[in-house]
Amino acid sequence: MTKFRELCGMLALLALLFAPGQLPAADSTFELRNAIAAQRALPRAPQLPRTAFLESRGLAAVQLSPGGDHVAYLREQGESRSLFLLPVAGGKPRVLVASTQAEQLFWSRDGRWLFLRGSKSLASVSADGRAGVRVPMGGADRRQAMKVDPSQPAAVLLRERVSIGKRERWRIVRMDVHGKRSLLREDPRWVHDVALDARGRIVALARFEGDHDALHRVLPDGSLREVLRLAPMERLNLLAAMPDGSLLMEGNPGSEVPADNFRRLLRLTADDKLQTLHEDPRLEADLDEVVLDPRTSMPLVASYRSTAAATYGVGDAQALVAGIARQFPGRDIAVQPGSGPGAQWLVSERAATLRDPRWHLFDPRTGRHRRILDEATITAHSPRESQLARKLAVSYLASDGLRVHGFLLLPPGVDPARAPLIAQVHGGPINHFRPGFDGVAQFLANRGYVVFQSNFRGSTGHGRAYAFAPDGDYGNGRVQRDIVEGVRWLLARGIGDGDRVGIVGHSFGGYSALLGLTFQPELFKVGVAGAPPTDLGWSMRWLVDAGEQGDLPDRSLRHTLRALSLDATDPAVFARLHAQSPLANAARMRRPLLVMAGGADRTVAIREVTNYVATLKASGRPVTLLVEPGGGHSPLEPIPREAYLFAMETMLQRHLGGPVPEPAGPQLRAYLRENLRAAGPEFRALAKKPTR
């Protein structure tokens, strides 16, 4: 029997060698057993330093030129980045910009210029290194770069606010690479997106109407004709205006029809009939990305990444993209096509076990590819694949019969039946886990924890009906039961030690962690909550009135919350959420808890977090609070990010077992000593000694 089990494990392992980064969806005991056997047969991964999981990737952005002759990329260089240009035909890359704070880059339509976009500025630079223009972003006029102008050789579209007394209007402006501006439209409403014809005229726009979003045709005299009225959580992105008067777009309009529930690739014909051009063949995932031909603007590639990642060719590109996918089995691929019959294509290869994507140039004529951007100086600090956990897409039936999706990370070389189990809950809740690399999840798996990521109902990525399925039950109700039932589903299948289960999360995930410790203490033995709302009703009211959403020009979140039955201005909703909140039930909290927050968070008010912790401390409850001074909703700087992982690891190791944490260095110890506002027994040795 032992030899038979070993043989089964080796066969499963061989199967996984052909799909090393991402495993197919599993909702049967047989598939789970195969996955478990394969992971147990792998060598145990060494304990890696915390810094390996901080996701400081070597490349910030990589883009193929429209003609397919150059690859531009932003390379991390300490606290800034450098812009490089690599010739596809061969030769060494050259530096175009030595130092920039840009985070994204885009090619102009003619392939002669690059736009560098950062949080505070937009700059242009030519492919031969000549500087163009630099303009500030944000500020009083709320300037934002919308997209590259598809009708001009080298221009970008900007959106700007104009204040007229107490009123505001919004301008759509074309700006070329030398700073020359042309006003395309001024509108009293916030314009989400626009489509331009070949002459550069706006022919369609999507805007917020005050109580809903809508798509309009723009008539020759500038007046509007509404063609689609969008319900809450319906989204629409305009991709291109076609010569026949049709519009190419992606989104989920008309999602009250079951067949139209998912985000998909669409065409709105010239007579305003909506056609679906591509959707997930499995009917389980929203469209994640569409890639257009840079010359014709016709769709070539559609990718879906809410469960097991899948990429398909569209139209004449089906066979070509399928051939690319076969060369990267089990990988999440993204394709950037070059224009013209002889142009190279750029392919990125991603997986849960790849912190840094791998980049390849693909020749459509030969079907061959070659790897680029793989020098050691770029990939030096990336963990080896064998050291990271595979990610398995799973689904399970909730107690009311709804199929719930999620992911499972099984540490290599570990018997999951004897390993601690961590439920990691995503933020939002209008968000979802994806199949790619996740630094926190991989960090926990490297420490020997099985990690369960539930895309509970209310998550995005699985259609609008799935997002609305909670019907407002976000307290200790249906959403939380999806998470709890997923944990119990795994335990019943021999995954995780039922006596060593924890729950962690950030933002809404932190709120769920507090709920778990408060209402399911028999299941969850310890919790880690980052930036957690402690009373969701109060938190939602503060967010839309005074927080980050309070001064955004697009105030559609209010209407989305109302549609989700989370409108905290409704007294009944507020009372329901408060009654089920961790704050109102603080007396029930008995389990050890670590809370982390930012002192200047504009998504979750720091006073909400500190009030909850003070309530627990006043009752003698076990709690630790770590606050980043001046920090936002999530830590961004290296030391606060490392502190986040160190504190989480320390907390979980103390109560669930696992390897002893790597000692904190001098900088980290000093940071903890200054910023531990409340120290439970796990952190007293690191906290500042009280003065007498």
Side-chain angles (χ1 to χ4, degrees):
M1 180 61 73
T2 300
K3 290 184 177 180
F4 177 74
R5 287 175 178 169
E6 291 176 352
L7 176 61
C8 289
M10 289 306 297
L11 289 174
L13 173 60
L14 289 173
L16 287 183
L17 290 177
F18 293 96
Q22 174 187 296
L23 309 184
D27 57 2
S28 71
T29 301
F30 177 76
E31 290 169 328
L32 278 175
R33 285 175 178 169
N34 279 348
I36 292 169
Q39 292 302 102
R40 288 183 63 182
L42 294 171
R44 182 73 182 264
Q47 183 174 334
L48 299 175
R50 286 182 296 274
T51 53
F53 301 95
L54 296 181
E55 300 188 52
S56 299
R57 294 173 176 169
L59 301 179
V62 182
Q63 291 291 323
L64 180 70
S65 64
D69 52 351
H70 286 92
V71 174
Y73 58 94
L74 289 171
R75 181 171 169 179
E76 299 287 352
Q77 304 277 31
E79 295 184 357
S80 66
R81 300 173 184 89
S82 297
L83 173 63
F84 286 82
L85 197 64
L86 174 70
V88 166
K92 294 183 178 181
R94 57 189 174 92
V95 179
L96 286 185
V97 178
S99 179
T100 175
Q101 296 298 316
E103 300 163 353
Q104 295 175 301
L105 61 86
F106 307 95
W107 284 95
S108 63
R109 185 175 65 84
D110 64 6
R112 299 173 59 188
W113 289 83
L114 285 151
F115 295 99
L116 305 181
R117 183 167 73 182
S119 60
K120 297 181 179 180
S121 67
L122 176 74
S124 59
V125 60
S126 73
D128 59 11
R130 288 178 292 117
V133 66
R134 181 186 180 91
V135 294
M137 293 287 108
D141 59 3
R142 302 291 184 88
R143 183 181 293 121
Q144 290 181 311
M146 297 178 70
K147 61 173 70 174
V148 172
D149 189 333
S151 70
Q152 305 297 310
V156 68
L157 299 179
L158 305 176
R159 177 178 46 229
E160 300 173 341
R161 183 179 69 170
V162 181
S163 296
I164 305 174
K166 294 183 178 180
R167 295 183 299 114
E168 63 182 17
R169 295 178 65 85
W170 296 93
R171 287 178 177 169
I172 308 300
V173 177
R174 171 184 295 130
M175 186 187 74
D176 71 13
V177 292
H178 302 295
K180 181 181 177 181
R181 294 162 54 91
S182 304
L183 177 63
L184 301 185
R185 183 175 182 86
E186 187 172 303
D187 201 286
R189 301 285 189 184
W190 165 266
V191 178
H192 290 284
D193 202 359
V194 296
L196 281 70
D197 63 13
R199 295 178 296 168
R201 184 178 68 90
I202 296 178
V203 294
L205 61 85
R207 71 178 189 177
F208 178 54
E209 298 293 337
D211 62 356
H212 68 280
D213 289 332
L215 174 67
H216 299 267
R217 296 273 192 181
V218 182
L219 304 181
D221 63 359
S223 61
L224 302 180
R225 176 168 59 83
E226 183 176 304
V227 291
L228 286 175
R229 182 186 179 99
L230 304 183
M233 293 291 287
E234 288 185 348
R235 298 291 184 264
L236 198 63
N237 293 323
L238 293 167
L239 301 175
M242 310 309 291
D244 63 357
S246 64
L247 296 173
L248 188 67
M249 52 197 189
E250 65 93 9
N252 59 344
S255 59
E256 68 275 1
V257 179
D260 297 336
N261 181 45
F262 295 94
R263 290 179 71 102
R264 58 208 188 279
L265 178 61
L266 299 161
R267 175 191 287 124
L268 187 71
T269 64
D271 56 354
D272 296 335
K273 290 184 173 61
L274 205 57
Q275 300 174 340
T276 296
L277 301 182
H278 202 279
E279 62 184 346
D280 181 19
R282 303 163 297 182
L283 292 179
E284 64 182 20
D286 283 328
L287 178 65
D288 185 69
E289 182 183 22
V290 179
V291 179
L292 306 182
D293 185 307
R295 179 171 52 89
T296 67
S297 295
M298 293 298 294
L300 294 179
V301 185
S303 297
Y304 303 84
R305 298 187 174 97
S306 302
T307 54
T311 293
Y312 306 93
V314 180
D316 294 340
Q318 291 182 57
L320 189 58
V321 175
I324 296 174
R326 283 194 294 271
Q327 296 184 48
F328 300 97
R331 299 300 205 185
D332 175 11
I333 62 168
V335 179
Q336 297 180 36
S339 177
Q344 300 267 318
W345 288 21
L346 181 65
V347 177
S348 69
E349 171 194 2
R350 305 167 192 265
T353 49
L354 289 176
R355 192 190 71 177
D356 300 283
R358 293 173 180 166
W359 298 93
H360 308 263
L361 283 172
F362 172 79
D363 189 337
R365 296 167 298 179
T366 64
R368 297 176 181 173
H369 65 86
R370 61 183 174 91
R371 189 170 174 192
I372 60 171
L373 306 179
D374 59 343
E375 53 262 37
T377 53
I378 293 177
T379 62
H381 302 293
S382 185
R384 294 194 300 272
E385 282 204 78
S386 61
Q387 299 172 331
L388 299 178
R390 276 59 175 167
K391 184 180 279 193
L392 175 69
V394 297
S395 66
Y396 55 97
L397 288 179
S399 55
D400 63 353
L402 181 73
R403 181 160 293 280
V404 180
H405 302 276
F407 294 98
L408 181 67
L409 286 85
L410 300 169
V414 170
D415 180 0
R418 300 184 180 185
L421 173 61
I422 303 297
Q424 183 189 14
V425 186
H426 68 68
I430 306 172
N431 200 350
H432 63 280
F433 285 115
R434 292 164 175 81
F437 179 83
D438 183 313
V440 171
Q442 288 290 356
F443 172 72
L444 294 174
N446 182 256
R447 272 42 180 175
Y449 300 105
V450 174
V451 181
F452 168 56
Q453 299 178 325
S454 174
N455 277 334
F456 47 83
R457 73 188 72 193
S459 302
T460 53
H462 299 282
R464 183 173 179 270
Y466 192 81
F468 275 90
D471 193 26
D473 202 1
Y474 287 91
N476 182 38
R478 188 60 263 179
V479 167
Q480 190 71 9
R481 283 201 297 276
D482 281 355
I483 299 165
V484 170
E485 289 172 4
V487 171
R488 296 194 187 282
W489 177 79
L490 292 172
L491 293 173
R493 283 154 180 79
I495 300 173
D497 179 349
D499 292 327
R500 294 190 294 160
V501 179
I503 184 168
V504 305
H506 195 87
S507 195
F508 180 85
Y511 169 73
S512 176
L514 299 184
L515 289 174
L517 297 189
T518 302
F519 295 107
Q520 294 90 34
E522 77 290 347
L523 178 63
F524 299 114
K525 308 305 189 295
V526 62
V528 177
T534 63
D535 182 336
L536 196 59
W538 188 93
S539 186
M540 291 298 97
R541 183 184 291 178
W542 180 86
L543 178 64
V544 298
D545 287 341
E548 182 184 62
Q549 296 291 327
D551 65 0
L552 289 183
D554 177 7
R555 298 179 177 91
S556 59
L557 179 63
R558 293 178 182 270
H559 306 287
T560 299
L561 293 176
R562 184 174 300 132
L564 292 171
S565 299
L566 284 174
D567 179 13
T569 62
D570 182 331
V573 171
F574 186 90
R576 170 173 56 83
L577 292 174
H578 174 72
Q580 296 187 21
S581 70
L583 178 62
N585 294 275
R588 303 178 62 166
M589 174 67 78
R590 292 290 190 277
R591 292 298 187 186
L593 169 66
L594 165 66
V595 178
M596 294 181 279
D601 190 343
R602 297 194 65 244
T603 300
V604 174
I606 185 63
R607 68 176 183 268
E608 178 182 3
V609 177
T610 55
N611 176 60
Y612 176 72
V613 171
T615 301
L616 293 181
K617 283 183 63 64
S619 301
R621 303 293 187 265
V623 61
T624 293
L625 174 62
L626 176 64
V627 176
E628 178 189 1
H633 192 52
S634 300
L636 299 177
E637 298 301 320
I639 293 299
R641 290 167 68 198
E642 185 182 0
Y644 196 103
L645 294 184
F646 174 81
M648 177 183 294
E649 179 183 22
T650 299
M651 194 73 180
L652 297 179
Q653 190 274 336
R654 179 70 64 91
H655 298 282
L656 301 181
V660 175
E662 171 191 357
Q667 282 186 292
L668 180 55
R669 290 184 66 88
Y671 177 87
L672 293 168
R673 186 168 57 251
E674 290 298 318
N675 299 306
L676 279 166
R677 304 289 180 84
E682 306 87 355
F683 296 93
R684 283 180 185 146
L686 295 166
K688 183 186 296 184
K689 298 295 187 292
T691 57
R692 294 182 181 274

